[in-house]
């Protein structure tokens, strides 16, 4: 699997431009800000969930050690 990823590689500059143009055509210019806002909220919620989970784990570790 790792060899396949190395063979394919990550998109470069021109590939990103093409991807962005395809997204623009599919969703339209009016919809892109809404999509970006939704993505940022999802990322924020994900990070918050991770932080809460880590805090709960620390509380459990402290309770076990005392």
């Amino acid at each position: 699997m790792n060899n396949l990823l190395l063979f394919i590689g990550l998109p470069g500059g021109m590939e990103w431009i093409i991807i962005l143009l395809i997204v623009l055509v599919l969703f339209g210019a009016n919809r892109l800000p809404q999509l970006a806002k939704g993505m940022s909220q999802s990322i924020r919620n994900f990070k918050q969930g991770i932080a809460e989970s880590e805090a709960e784990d620390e509380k459990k570790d402290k309770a076990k050690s005392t």
Side-chain angles (χ1 to χ4, degrees):
M1 181 69 174
N2 289 337
N3 292 336
L4 179 63
L5 292 177
L6 291 174
F7 177 71
I8 295 173
L10 295 175
M14 190 60 167
E15 287 88 4
W16 281 115
I17 292 172
I18 292 170
I19 291 169
L20 290 174
L21 286 174
I22 291 171
V23 169
L24 181 64
V25 168
L26 289 176
F27 294 107
N30 295 334
R31 181 91 190 230
L32 287 179
Q34 295 171 351
L35 290 172
K37 184 178 179 182
M39 293 264 304
S40 66
Q41 288 176 348
S42 298
I43 292 170
R44 191 177 311 121
N45 289 338
F46 180 75
K47 287 181 180 180
Q48 183 180 6
I50 290 174
E52 290 174 357
S53 175
E54 289 175 352
E56 289 176 10
D57 289 344
E58 288 179 12
K59 286 181 183 178
K60 288 179 183 178
D61 290 342
K62 287 182 181 178
K64 287 181 181 179
S65 65
T66 55

mmCIF file of all heavy atoms in Angstrom, residues 4-41:
data_model
loop_
_atom_site.group_PDB
_atom_site.id
_atom_site.type_symbol
_atom_site.label_atom_id
_atom_site.label_comp_id
_atom_site.label_asym_id
_atom_site.label_seq_id
_atom_site.Cartn_x
_atom_site.Cartn_y
_atom_site.Cartn_z
ATOM 1 N N LEU A 4 2.266 2.013 -3.352
ATOM 2 C CA LEU A 4 1.294 2.607 -4.253
ATOM 3 C C LEU A 4 1.198 4.102 -4.022
ATOM 4 O O LEU A 4 1.150 4.887 -4.970
ATOM 5 C CB LEU A 4 -0.081 1.952 -4.071
ATOM 6 C CG LEU A 4 -1.210 2.495 -4.940
ATOM 7 C CD1 LEU A 4 -0.906 2.245 -6.414
ATOM 8 C CD2 LEU A 4 -2.525 1.857 -4.569
ATOM 9 N N LEU A 5 1.201 4.516 -2.760
ATOM 10 C CA LEU A 5 1.138 5.943 -2.448
ATOM 11 C C LEU A 5 2.386 6.672 -2.935
ATOM 12 O O LEU A 5 2.309 7.805 -3.402
ATOM 13 C CB LEU A 5 0.958 6.154 -0.948
ATOM 14 C CG LEU A 5 -0.391 5.716 -0.368
ATOM 15 C CD1 LEU A 5 -0.398 5.904 1.141
ATOM 16 C CD2 LEU A 5 -1.527 6.486 -1.000
ATOM 17 N N LEU A 6 3.537 6.033 -2.823
ATOM 18 C CA LEU A 6 4.762 6.660 -3.313
ATOM 19 C C LEU A 6 4.746 6.786 -4.833
ATOM 20 O O LEU A 6 5.259 7.757 -5.386
ATOM 21 C CB LEU A 6 5.983 5.854 -2.869
ATOM 22 C CG LEU A 6 6.304 5.883 -1.378
ATOM 23 C CD1 LEU A 6 7.458 4.926 -1.076
ATOM 24 C CD2 LEU A 6 6.650 7.289 -0.930
ATOM 25 N N PHE A 7 4.157 5.819 -5.492
ATOM 26 C CA PHE A 7 4.091 5.851 -6.953
ATOM 27 C C PHE A 7 3.171 6.961 -7.423
ATOM 28 O O PHE A 7 3.489 7.688 -8.356
ATOM 29 C CB PHE A 7 3.609 4.494 -7.479
ATOM 30 C CG PHE A 7 3.434 4.462 -8.966
ATOM 31 C CD1 PHE A 7 4.527 4.486 -9.809
ATOM 32 C CD2 PHE A 7 2.163 4.439 -9.526
ATOM 33 C CE1 PHE A 7 4.377 4.463 -11.179
ATOM 34 C CE2 PHE A 7 2.000 4.413 -10.890
ATOM 35 C CZ PHE A 7 3.113 4.422 -11.721
ATOM 36 N N ILE A 8 2.022 7.110 -6.767
ATOM 37 C CA ILE A 8 1.050 8.117 -7.184
ATOM 38 C C ILE A 8 1.536 9.507 -6.806
ATOM 39 O O ILE A 8 1.504 10.424 -7.604
ATOM 40 C CB ILE A 8 -0.332 7.840 -6.551
ATOM 41 C CG1 ILE A 8 -0.887 6.526 -7.086
ATOM 42 C CG2 ILE A 8 -1.294 8.983 -6.820
ATOM 43 C CD1 ILE A 8 -2.155 6.063 -6.407
ATOM 44 N N GLY A 9 1.974 9.715 -5.587
ATOM 45 C CA GLY A 9 2.470 10.998 -5.138
ATOM 46 C C GLY A 9 1.354 11.972 -4.820
ATOM 47 O O GLY A 9 0.169 11.702 -5.022
ATOM 48 N N LEU A 10 1.728 13.113 -4.308
ATOM 49 C CA LEU A 10 0.769 14.159 -3.977
ATOM 50 C C LEU A 10 0.598 15.099 -5.157
ATOM 51 O O LEU A 10 1.516 15.283 -5.950
ATOM 52 C CB LEU A 10 1.249 14.942 -2.755
ATOM 53 C CG LEU A 10 1.335 14.159 -1.458
ATOM 54 C CD1 LEU A 10 1.945 15.009 -0.367
ATOM 55 C CD2 LEU A 10 -0.034 13.673 -1.038
ATOM 56 N N PRO A 11 -0.570 15.713 -5.272
ATOM 57 C CA PRO A 11 -0.777 16.657 -6.375
ATOM 58 C C PRO A 11 0.148 17.865 -6.249
ATOM 59 O O PRO A 11 0.383 18.359 -5.154
ATOM 60 C CB PRO A 11 -2.239 17.086 -6.238
ATOM 61 C CG PRO A 11 -2.850 16.229 -5.204
ATOM 62 C CD PRO A 11 -1.767 15.537 -4.471
ATOM 63 N N GLY A 12 0.619 18.326 -7.385
ATOM 64 C CA GLY A 12 1.461 19.512 -7.428
ATOM 65 C C GLY A 12 0.630 20.760 -7.646
ATOM 66 O O GLY A 12 -0.599 20.750 -7.513
ATOM 67 N N GLY A 13 1.268 21.845 -8.000
ATOM 68 C CA GLY A 13 0.595 23.123 -8.176
ATOM 69 C C GLY A 13 -0.467 23.109 -9.251
ATOM 70 O O GLY A 13 -1.606 23.552 -9.040
ATOM 71 N N MET A 14 -0.140 22.599 -10.421
ATOM 72 C CA MET A 14 -1.094 22.596 -11.530
ATOM 73 C C MET A 14 -2.272 21.673 -11.241
ATOM 74 O O MET A 14 -3.411 22.000 -11.580
ATOM 75 C CB MET A 14 -0.389 22.167 -12.816
ATOM 76 C CG MET A 14 -1.221 22.354 -14.042
ATOM 77 S SD MET A 14 -1.626 24.114 -14.192
ATOM 78 C CE MET A 14 -2.247 24.152 -15.821
ATOM 79 N N GLU A 15 -2.004 20.547 -10.585
ATOM 80 C CA GLU A 15 -3.089 19.624 -10.257
ATOM 81 C C GLU A 15 -4.075 20.256 -9.278
ATOM 82 O O GLU A 15 -5.283 20.079 -9.392
ATOM 83 C CB GLU A 15 -2.540 18.320 -9.666
ATOM 84 C CG GLU A 15 -1.864 17.433 -10.681
ATOM 85 C CD GLU A 15 -0.389 17.758 -10.858
ATOM 86 O OE1 GLU A 15 0.137 18.629 -10.131
ATOM 87 O OE2 GLU A 15 0.241 17.145 -11.737
ATOM 88 N N TRP A 16 -3.559 21.022 -8.307
ATOM 89 C CA TRP A 16 -4.448 21.706 -7.352
ATOM 90 C C TRP A 16 -5.322 22.733 -8.047
ATOM 91 O O TRP A 16 -6.497 22.900 -7.711
ATOM 92 C CB TRP A 16 -3.654 22.367 -6.231
ATOM 93 C CG TRP A 16 -3.219 21.404 -5.178
ATOM 94 C CD1 TRP A 16 -1.943 21.052 -4.872
ATOM 95 C CD2 TRP A 16 -4.049 20.644 -4.293
ATOM 96 N NE1 TRP A 16 -1.928 20.123 -3.858
ATOM 97 C CE2 TRP A 16 -3.213 19.864 -3.481
ATOM 98 C CE3 TRP A 16 -5.425 20.550 -4.109
ATOM 99 C CZ2 TRP A 16 -3.696 19.011 -2.504
ATOM 100 C CZ3 TRP A 16 -5.901 19.685 -3.124
ATOM 101 C CH2 TRP A 16 -5.055 18.936 -2.346
ATOM 102 N N ILE A 17 -4.754 23.426 -9.017
ATOM 103 C CA ILE A 17 -5.540 24.417 -9.769
ATOM 104 C C ILE A 17 -6.668 23.721 -10.523
ATOM 105 O O ILE A 17 -7.815 24.188 -10.523
ATOM 106 C CB ILE A 17 -4.626 25.215 -10.725
ATOM 107 C CG1 ILE A 17 -3.683 26.098 -9.907
ATOM 108 C CG2 ILE A 17 -5.449 26.056 -11.691
ATOM 109 C CD1 ILE A 17 -2.613 26.782 -10.705
ATOM 110 N N ILE A 18 -6.363 22.602 -11.141
ATOM 111 C CA ILE A 18 -7.390 21.847 -11.875
ATOM 112 C C ILE A 18 -8.465 21.347 -10.920
ATOM 113 O O ILE A 18 -9.664 21.439 -11.212
ATOM 114 C CB ILE A 18 -6.742 20.683 -12.658
ATOM 115 C CG1 ILE A 18 -5.872 21.241 -13.781
ATOM 116 C CG2 ILE A 18 -7.806 19.742 -13.208
ATOM 117 C CD1 ILE A 18 -5.007 20.217 -14.474
ATOM 118 N N ILE A 19 -8.056 20.827 -9.761
ATOM 119 C CA ILE A 19 -9.028 20.357 -8.771
ATOM 120 C C ILE A 19 -9.925 21.492 -8.321
ATOM 121 O O ILE A 19 -11.151 21.340 -8.220
ATOM 122 C CB ILE A 19 -8.297 19.706 -7.577
ATOM 123 C CG1 ILE A 19 -7.640 18.402 -8.014
ATOM 124 C CG2 ILE A 19 -9.247 19.474 -6.407
ATOM 125 C CD1 ILE A 19 -6.681 17.817 -7.006
ATOM 126 N N LEU A 20 -9.345 22.656 -8.044
ATOM 127 C CA LEU A 20 -10.144 23.813 -7.615
ATOM 128 C C LEU A 20 -11.116 24.266 -8.698
ATOM 129 O O LEU A 20 -12.257 24.646 -8.403
ATOM 130 C CB LEU A 20 -9.228 24.961 -7.192
ATOM 131 C CG LEU A 20 -8.465 24.733 -5.890
ATOM 132 C CD1 LEU A 20 -7.484 25.875 -5.653
ATOM 133 C CD2 LEU A 20 -9.406 24.586 -4.716
ATOM 134 N N LEU A 21 -10.682 24.225 -9.947
ATOM 135 C CA LEU A 21 -11.582 24.602 -11.036
ATOM 136 C C LEU A 21 -12.751 23.628 -11.163
ATOM 137 O O LEU A 21 -13.895 24.039 -11.390
ATOM 138 C CB LEU A 21 -10.810 24.682 -12.353
ATOM 139 C CG LEU A 21 -9.893 25.890 -12.511
ATOM 140 C CD1 LEU A 21 -9.071 25.768 -13.796
ATOM 141 C CD2 LEU A 21 -10.693 27.176 -12.510
ATOM 142 N N ILE A 22 -12.475 22.345 -10.994
ATOM 143 C CA ILE A 22 -13.549 21.349 -11.052
ATOM 144 C C ILE A 22 -14.536 21.565 -9.919
ATOM 145 O O ILE A 22 -15.759 21.526 -10.118
ATOM 146 C CB ILE A 22 -12.960 19.919 -11.019
ATOM 147 C CG1 ILE A 22 -12.215 19.647 -12.336
ATOM 148 C CG2 ILE A 22 -14.047 18.887 -10.786
ATOM 149 C CD1 ILE A 22 -11.411 18.369 -12.330
ATOM 150 N N VAL A 23 -14.038 21.838 -8.722
ATOM 151 C CA VAL A 23 -14.919 22.114 -7.581
ATOM 152 C C VAL A 23 -15.748 23.356 -7.846
ATOM 153 O O VAL A 23 -16.954 23.394 -7.553
ATOM 154 C CB VAL A 23 -14.092 22.261 -6.280
ATOM 155 C CG1 VAL A 23 -14.926 22.811 -5.147
ATOM 156 C CG2 VAL A 23 -13.485 20.928 -5.893
ATOM 157 N N LEU A 24 -15.137 24.373 -8.410
ATOM 158 C CA LEU A 24 -15.853 25.605 -8.723
ATOM 159 C C LEU A 24 -16.966 25.348 -9.726
ATOM 160 O O LEU A 24 -18.089 25.853 -9.575
ATOM 161 C CB LEU A 24 -14.871 26.652 -9.273
ATOM 162 C CG LEU A 24 -15.448 28.010 -9.624
ATOM 163 C CD1 LEU A 24 -15.986 28.680 -8.376
ATOM 164 C CD2 LEU A 24 -14.401 28.878 -10.280
ATOM 165 N N VAL A 25 -16.706 24.543 -10.726
ATOM 166 C CA VAL A 25 -17.722 24.232 -11.731
ATOM 167 C C VAL A 25 -18.847 23.394 -11.118
ATOM 168 O O VAL A 25 -20.028 23.626 -11.389
ATOM 169 C CB VAL A 25 -17.084 23.493 -12.933
ATOM 170 C CG1 VAL A 25 -18.143 22.904 -13.836
ATOM 171 C CG2 VAL A 25 -16.193 24.446 -13.717
ATOM 172 N N LEU A 26 -18.497 22.429 -10.278
ATOM 173 C CA LEU A 26 -19.512 21.556 -9.694
ATOM 174 C C LEU A 26 -20.422 22.281 -8.707
ATOM 175 O O LEU A 26 -21.631 22.068 -8.704
ATOM 176 C CB LEU A 26 -18.847 20.362 -8.997
ATOM 177 C CG LEU A 26 -18.215 19.329 -9.905
ATOM 178 C CD1 LEU A 26 -17.509 18.264 -9.068
ATOM 179 C CD2 LEU A 26 -19.255 18.682 -10.806
ATOM 180 N N PHE A 27 -19.850 23.106 -7.850
ATOM 181 C CA PHE A 27 -20.628 23.706 -6.782
ATOM 182 C C PHE A 27 -21.020 25.155 -7.048
ATOM 183 O O PHE A 27 -21.949 25.661 -6.426
ATOM 184 C CB PHE A 27 -19.868 23.625 -5.457
ATOM 185 C CG PHE A 27 -19.691 22.221 -4.982
ATOM 186 C CD1 PHE A 27 -18.454 21.612 -5.059
ATOM 187 C CD2 PHE A 27 -20.748 21.505 -4.478
ATOM 188 C CE1 PHE A 27 -18.276 20.312 -4.621
ATOM 189 C CE2 PHE A 27 -20.589 20.203 -4.035
ATOM 190 C CZ PHE A 27 -19.348 19.614 -4.114
ATOM 191 N N GLY A 28 -20.332 25.839 -7.906
ATOM 192 C CA GLY A 28 -20.648 27.229 -8.196
ATOM 193 C C GLY A 28 -19.971 28.170 -7.222
ATOM 194 O O GLY A 28 -19.668 27.816 -6.087
ATOM 195 N N ALA A 29 -19.766 29.399 -7.661
ATOM 196 C CA ALA A 29 -19.053 30.392 -6.856
ATOM 197 C C ALA A 29 -19.850 30.797 -5.622
ATOM 198 O O ALA A 29 -19.274 31.118 -4.588
ATOM 199 C CB ALA A 29 -18.726 31.610 -7.704
ATOM 200 N N ASN A 30 -21.167 30.797 -5.708
ATOM 201 C CA ASN A 30 -21.975 31.220 -4.564
ATOM 202 C C ASN A 30 -21.936 30.202 -3.436
ATOM 203 O O ASN A 30 -22.088 30.555 -2.270
ATOM 204 C CB ASN A 30 -23.433 31.428 -4.990
ATOM 205 C CG ASN A 30 -23.574 32.567 -5.966
ATOM 206 O OD1 ASN A 30 -22.747 33.473 -5.970
ATOM 207 N ND2 ASN A 30 -24.602 32.519 -6.785
ATOM 208 N N ARG A 31 -21.729 28.967 -3.754
ATOM 209 C CA ARG A 31 -21.791 27.895 -2.758
ATOM 210 C C ARG A 31 -20.452 27.652 -2.069
ATOM 211 O O ARG A 31 -20.415 27.101 -0.961
ATOM 212 C CB ARG A 31 -22.267 26.632 -3.473
ATOM 213 C CG ARG A 31 -22.416 25.437 -2.669
ATOM 214 C CD ARG A 31 -23.800 25.301 -2.114
ATOM 215 N NE ARG A 31 -23.756 24.219 -1.146
ATOM 216 C CZ ARG A 31 -24.574 23.211 -1.108
ATOM 217 N NH1 ARG A 31 -25.568 23.181 -1.934
ATOM 218 N NH2 ARG A 31 -24.425 22.281 -0.230
ATOM 219 N N LEU A 32 -19.345 28.069 -2.664
ATOM 220 C CA LEU A 32 -18.022 27.791 -2.104
ATOM 221 C C LEU A 32 -17.807 28.384 -0.711
ATOM 222 O O LEU A 32 -17.264 27.701 0.155
ATOM 223 C CB LEU A 32 -16.927 28.252 -3.054
ATOM 224 C CG LEU A 32 -16.751 27.388 -4.300
ATOM 225 C CD1 LEU A 32 -15.649 27.950 -5.176
ATOM 226 C CD2 LEU A 32 -16.443 25.959 -3.935
ATOM 227 N N PRO A 33 -18.204 29.629 -0.430
ATOM 228 C CA PRO A 33 -18.021 30.146 0.931
ATOM 229 C C PRO A 33 -18.789 29.331 1.974
ATOM 230 O O PRO A 33 -18.299 29.118 3.089
ATOM 231 C CB PRO A 33 -18.546 31.576 0.863
ATOM 232 C CG PRO A 33 -18.411 31.959 -0.556
ATOM 233 C CD PRO A 33 -18.652 30.694 -1.331
ATOM 234 N N GLN A 34 -19.972 28.856 1.612
ATOM 235 C CA GLN A 34 -20.749 28.028 2.541
ATOM 236 C C GLN A 34 -20.029 26.711 2.807
ATOM 237 O O GLN A 34 -19.998 26.230 3.944
ATOM 238 C CB GLN A 34 -22.139 27.766 1.977
ATOM 239 C CG GLN A 34 -22.995 28.997 1.844
ATOM 240 C CD GLN A 34 -24.281 28.712 1.076
ATOM 241 O OE1 GLN A 34 -24.445 27.642 0.502
ATOM 242 N NE2 GLN A 34 -25.173 29.687 1.067
ATOM 243 N N LEU A 35 -19.468 26.117 1.763
ATOM 244 C CA LEU A 35 -18.728 24.864 1.931
ATOM 245 C C LEU A 35 -17.492 25.073 2.811
ATOM 246 O O LEU A 35 -17.200 24.253 3.683
ATOM 247 C CB LEU A 35 -18.310 24.301 0.575
ATOM 248 C CG LEU A 35 -19.421 23.766 -0.309
ATOM 249 C CD1 LEU A 35 -18.884 23.418 -1.687
ATOM 250 C CD2 LEU A 35 -20.054 22.544 0.322
ATOM 251 N N ALA A 36 -16.779 26.165 2.585
ATOM 252 C CA ALA A 36 -15.586 26.451 3.381
ATOM 253 C C ALA A 36 -15.952 26.677 4.847
ATOM 254 O O ALA A 36 -15.249 26.206 5.749
ATOM 255 C CB ALA A 36 -14.865 27.669 2.822
ATOM 256 N N LYS A 37 -17.042 27.382 5.090
ATOM 257 C CA LYS A 37 -17.484 27.638 6.460
ATOM 258 C C LYS A 37 -17.861 26.322 7.145
ATOM 259 O O LYS A 37 -17.502 26.087 8.304
ATOM 260 C CB LYS A 37 -18.677 28.582 6.462
ATOM 261 C CG LYS A 37 -19.146 28.969 7.836
ATOM 262 C CD LYS A 37 -20.296 29.951 7.778
ATOM 263 C CE LYS A 37 -20.782 30.307 9.166
ATOM 264 N NZ LYS A 37 -21.919 31.230 9.133
ATOM 265 N N GLY A 38 -18.580 25.461 6.438
ATOM 266 C CA GLY A 38 -18.947 24.169 6.990
ATOM 267 C C GLY A 38 -17.739 23.309 7.301
ATOM 268 O O GLY A 38 -17.683 22.634 8.333
ATOM 269 N N MET A 39 -16.746 23.331 6.412
ATOM 270 C CA MET A 39 -15.516 22.561 6.641
ATOM 271 C C MET A 39 -14.773 23.090 7.861
ATOM 272 O O MET A 39 -14.288 22.313 8.685
ATOM 273 C CB MET A 39 -14.606 22.632 5.411
ATOM 274 C CG MET A 39 -15.140 21.956 4.194
ATOM 275 S SD MET A 39 -14.574 20.299 3.948
ATOM 276 C CE MET A 39 -12.826 20.486 3.932
ATOM 277 N N SER A 40 -14.675 24.418 7.998
ATOM 278 C CA SER A 40 -13.958 24.981 9.141
ATOM 279 C C SER A 40 -14.669 24.656 10.445
ATOM 280 O O SER A 40 -14.026 24.377 11.454
ATOM 281 C CB SER A 40 -13.766 26.486 8.984
ATOM 282 O OG SER A 40 -15.011 27.156 9.032
ATOM 283 N N GLN A 41 -16.002 24.678 10.453
ATOM 284 C CA GLN A 41 -16.741 24.307 11.662
ATOM 285 C C GLN A 41 -16.525 22.834 11.994
ATOM 286 O O GLN A 41 -16.384 22.479 13.172
ATOM 287 C CB GLN A 41 -18.226 24.599 11.486
ATOM 288 C CG GLN A 41 -18.565 26.067 11.501
ATOM 289 C CD GLN A 41 -20.045 26.326 11.234
ATOM 290 O OE1 GLN A 41 -20.769 25.434 10.826
ATOM 291 N NE2 GLN A 41 -20.469 27.563 11.453
#
